[in-house]
Amino acid sequence: MKSSLDIAKYFIIKAYEDGRENLITNMKIQKLLYYSQCLYLALYHEPLFTEEIQAWRYGPVCPPAYHFYSEFEAKQLPIPDSKVLTELIPEITEILDKVWDYFGAYHAYDLSDLTHLEFPWKKARKGLPPQAASTAVIPLEDMRLLGEEKLLEIEQAHPCYAPIVAQFVQEACDKLGESKSIEQGEVHDWLKSLLAGKIGQSWSNIYPAF
């Protein structure tokens, strides 16, 4: 298991590689760490890094990573040693790349606003006023549930998602149309097998990390 700083450095390097280094600030790193933790929990049912994430005023924050880069405030972060790229295993870098592809173009304040709309941050703050400080920890289980939602969003945003779903729904409807009658529970079983089987297999070919 890697530290939050290892993950943060990976995103900073990605920003420089993609020419978005002017957008990579401490605030943005905190949100990318948050969504990486959420997705990893959803996929592997264990945390990506052990450091806790807290519900601060401007959204989720991982304190160790935040304090490490605090001297830069809202300024562009310096590029770290690229050796971190070789120290992360493929199952981690695949997730981080998807997080970057989906969230990397957003400004830090846009990501902050997004986290304010989602239940883990709001639940952890327990109705505190918007300007109130808080160090309340966002539970791993809440992040895992949000990660499942985000995985679905990322899948649905992929250009191949709609054609695949349409194809398999049509095939399933054709099969059901061949039957003279539908037994009780048959539709439920069909939907369950469709989501867990064919779509999942085809989707893994398009989006291997998921």
Side-chain angles (χ1 to χ4, degrees):
M1 183 179 296
K2 293 298 181 178
S3 72
S4 60
L5 280 178
D6 293 325
I7 308 305
K9 291 174 182 177
Y10 187 86
F11 284 126
I12 296 171
I13 293 172
K14 292 290 291 185
Y16 276 84
E17 288 180 346
D18 291 355
R20 299 177 186 172
E21 62 272 16
N22 61 317
L23 294 177
I24 201 73
T25 61
N26 198 358
M27 178 185 283
K28 183 165 181 174
I29 281 294
Q30 300 310 311
K31 307 309 174 272
L32 295 175
L33 287 173
Y34 174 63
Y35 286 122
S36 299
Q37 186 77 299
C38 290
L39 265 63
Y40 197 86
L41 283 164
L43 286 168
Y44 298 105
H45 299 276
E46 63 180 23
L48 175 60
F49 49 86
T50 58
E51 298 96 323
E52 65 186 23
I53 292 180
Q54 299 176 354
W56 287 20
R57 172 184 170 186
Y58 291 112
V61 167
C62 181
Y66 175 84
H67 292 305
F68 185 84
Y69 290 112
S70 61
E71 65 179 286
F72 298 98
E73 297 181 349
K75 298 176 182 177
Q76 175 182 322
L77 300 180
I79 188 169
D81 191 328
S82 61
K83 70 178 182 180
V84 70
L85 296 176
T86 62
E87 295 175 348
L88 298 175
I89 60 176
E91 71 179 29
I92 292 179
T93 58
E94 286 173 354
I95 292 176
L96 300 185
D97 286 346
K98 296 303 179 290
V99 170
W100 180 251
D101 289 344
Y102 194 71
F103 296 104
Y106 286 91
H107 191 278
Y109 284 106
D110 294 328
L111 292 177
S112 177
D113 290 343
L114 181 60
T115 63
H116 287 197
L117 299 174
E118 298 161 346
F119 82 92
W121 180 84
K122 293 194 292 185
K123 179 181 174 183
R125 288 181 63 84
K126 300 178 181 178
L128 289 173
Q131 304 302 317
S134 174
T135 57
V137 177
I138 300 178
L140 293 178
E141 177 61 13
D142 288 350
M143 286 190 283
R144 184 189 68 79
L145 293 173
L146 179 64
E148 291 181 350
E149 294 180 10
K150 291 302 175 184
L151 283 174
L152 182 58
E153 286 182 16
I154 293 172
E155 287 181 354
Q156 291 176 339
H158 195 283
C160 294
Y161 180 85
I164 287 176
V165 172
Q167 173 191 344
F168 286 120
V169 168
Q170 184 61 54
E171 290 179 1
C173 288
D174 291 343
K175 287 184 178 180
L176 287 176
E178 296 172 359
S179 303
K180 294 182 179 180
S181 62
I182 300 175
E183 300 294 333
Q184 183 177 3
E186 186 175 348
V187 173
H188 172 77
D189 292 341
W190 161 68
L191 288 172
K192 184 176 180 181
S193 65
L194 180 65
L195 293 173
K198 287 187 174 180
I199 289 180
Q201 293 170 3
S202 296
W203 187 248
S204 66
N205 292 330
I206 297 171
Y207 235 160
F210 297 139

